[in-house]
Amino acid sequence: MTFKSKIKTIEWTQNVSRMIDQRILPKEFKTVDIKTSEEMYYAIKDMIVRGAPAIGIAGAHGIVLAAMEIKTKDKQEFLKELKRKAEYIKSSRPTAVNLMWAADKQIELAESIQGDTNEITEALKQNAIKMENEDIEINKKIGDFGSEAVPKGASILTHCNAGALATVGYGTALGVIRSAFAKDPTIKVFADETRPRQQGARLTTWELTRDGIPTTLITDGMCSYFMSKGMIDMVVVGADRIAANGDTANKIGTYTVAIAAKYHKIPFYIAAPLSTIDISIKSGNDIPIEERSHDEVTHINGDWICAEDVNIINPGFDVTPNELISGIITEKGILRPCYKTSIQNAFNLK
Ligand code: MRU
């Protein structure tokens, strides 16, 4: 089955990083050309591009832009400046480890090149394009493995957007849904709206309805109700960082969905590439959680929605403990508890 939406969220083209502006979807579809490493820092921070694998690729592009900006031909000076700029780009958002992973891969490559600074820059460009293509391939593998876990005619709940828009294309959690739908067009999706930035309402429903996948939008507080009515058979969500024990950081509200799924005995899956697993972190307690602007909570569409002097707190992510997770769907297969062992094995298979 082919899908209508061959969405390419981000791509290196004509010496710029071209990305879909996700701040304005679904009202407007527009791409933005990012031309400097500083513009890339803000594109990630302000969420023109978002979603863990997509910001990984944005980081890889950012390093290419950084290399193109550095004027010195002295290799040691060049590498020193490149590493400084890499740290700056990596500081744009703290939770999704794919950003650090991709930027570090680019730096490792730059250090390994025997040629001059032009050759390093060219190698970084080629590697960024390779990473883009690999991202789509990995998502298709995740989709294939994950589709095996989807019951016939299932209603699948997802939270936030772990789709083509959160990756280069196809998606992780929505990749599972796309692959399952290709085999069984009777499946249906429930999409949580995902306050405060509405990635579920704005992005997930846009993507899935373009592909003709039946999708029902619900508000975040409704998931337990639909579970209690027997209307949800499975949950699949993405991840921003998975610790070595399987604890998983994902968009705020994911933990609530996982608790509700456990109570109602509904399988709860994470879909993510191995690059989202941070084996240097023992448990979810060590995952840095981004605190975002309070305006995201106090305003809807530019209008105040609360008392002006109320206290606000706005963590962008929460951590779902591993015991609530039925499986982690990766490009190497579905990892099952005990995650400490299955994650270790998956990395040895690499
Ligand atoms: O703040 P965002 O929109 O970047 O958060 C995105 C998510 O939490 C996604 O679910 C996660 O990155 C997985 S993307 C395949």
Side-chain angles (χ1 to χ4, degrees):
M1 159 137 359
T2 50
F3 291 101
K4 262 185 263 163
S5 59
K6 285 267 178 284
I7 299 166
K8 194 124 196 235
T9 298
I10 176 166
E11 69 180 318
W12 183 261
T13 178
Q14 295 162 24
N15 268 344
V16 298
S17 175
R18 183 161 295 163
M19 55 180 69
I20 297 172
D21 188 343
Q22 300 195 37
R23 298 167 305 178
I24 53 177
L25 274 173
K27 271 195 182 160
E28 247 186 280
F29 181 92
K30 212 176 81 182
T31 58
V32 181
D33 287 349
I34 300 298
K35 300 187 182 104
T36 67
S37 57
E38 188 179 3
E39 282 177 14
M40 185 59 85
Y41 171 90
Y42 286 105
I44 299 170
K45 192 176 176 61
D46 297 341
M47 295 173 68
I48 295 176
V49 62
R50 37 68 49 200
I55 66 174
I57 299 301
H61 288 183
I63 306 301
V64 180
L65 294 168
M68 285 162 58
E69 285 156 14
I70 302 171
K71 296 284 170 269
T72 179
K73 297 290 166 207
D74 179 283
K75 205 167 154 183
Q76 288 321 311
E77 283 292 311
F78 177 91
L79 287 173
K80 193 171 158 210
E81 184 58 5
L82 192 67
K83 282 193 226 165
R84 192 189 63 75
K85 285 177 182 268
E87 289 310 311
Y88 169 66
I89 293 166
K90 280 160 65 178
S91 69
S92 53
R93 290 192 78 188
T95 304
V97 74
N98 309 61
L99 172 60
M100 330 311 164
W101 173 86
D104 289 346
K105 284 255 167 226
Q106 288 284 62
I107 294 297
E108 259 173 52
L109 174 72
E111 288 182 315
S112 73
I113 300 290
Q114 296 300 318
D116 62 19
T117 57
N118 289 336
E119 287 165 291
I120 296 177
T121 305
E122 189 49 37
L124 290 171
K125 276 183 203 172
Q126 293 314 318
N127 196 43
I129 295 167
K130 185 165 162 258
M131 286 165 111
E132 282 173 27
N133 294 331
E134 281 171 358
D135 179 81
I136 297 178
E137 289 315 307
I138 287 170
N139 293 337
K140 289 192 172 154
K141 285 185 189 156
I142 291 173
D144 285 346
F145 283 119
S147 65
E148 301 291 317
V150 178
K152 177 129 188 61
S155 280
I156 307 170
L157 176 73
T158 190
H159 187 74
C160 192
N161 172 268
L165 289 166
T167 60
V168 178
Y170 205 69
T172 55
L174 299 194
V176 171
I177 288 168
R178 286 192 163 94
S179 296
F181 184 74
K183 292 185 194 161
D184 172 13
T186 68
I187 67 157
K188 303 176 271 314
V189 176
F190 280 79
D192 276 351
E193 66 169 344
T194 318
R195 268 286 281 159
R197 288 188 67 99
Q198 324 281 16
Q199 291 95 326
R202 293 190 303 105
L203 308 175
T204 295
T205 68
W206 181 80
E207 270 193 39
L208 292 180
T209 55
R210 270 168 62 103
D211 277 350
I213 301 175
T215 304
T216 302
L217 174 64
I218 61 173
T219 65
D220 294 341
M222 293 178 186
C223 79
S224 317
Y225 173 78
F226 288 111
M227 287 178 182
S228 75
K229 296 287 172 202
M231 289 169 72
I232 311 283
D233 303 301
M234 175 183 185
V235 180
V236 58
V237 297
D240 289 85
R241 194 184 293 225
I242 301 171
N245 69 347
D247 291 351
T248 296
N250 192 49
K251 180 53 52 193
I252 192 79
T254 303
Y255 180 26
T256 312
V257 175
I259 293 170
K262 185 78 168 182
Y263 181 79
H264 293 98
K265 301 189 172 45
I266 295 166
F268 176 94
Y269 285 92
I270 300 291
L274 290 181
S275 55
T276 304
I277 303 180
D278 183 352
I279 45 169
S280 76
I281 279 183
K282 272 200 193 138
S283 82
N285 292 332
D286 303 322
I287 299 177
I289 300 294
E290 179 180 14
E291 172 73 17
R292 291 198 59 87
S293 162
H294 293 179
D295 293 354
E296 293 181 350
V297 178
T298 56
H299 288 70
I300 292 183
N301 289 338
D303 289 332
W304 270 96
I305 57 152
C306 54
E308 287 198 15
D309 52 2
V310 71
N311 297 325
I312 302 293
I313 183 161
N314 184 21
F317 301 92
D318 57 27
V319 175
T320 299
N322 58 29
E323 63 265 30
L324 301 182
I325 300 170
S326 312
I328 301 176
I329 307 162
T330 74
E331 68 272 31
K332 296 279 175 200
I334 303 181
L335 312 185
R336 300 282 182 185
C338 150
Y339 293 112
K340 218 173 142 193
T341 309
S342 56
I343 286 175
Q344 195 57 57
N345 290 343
F347 274 82
N348 292 340
L349 281 177
K350 257 171 122 179

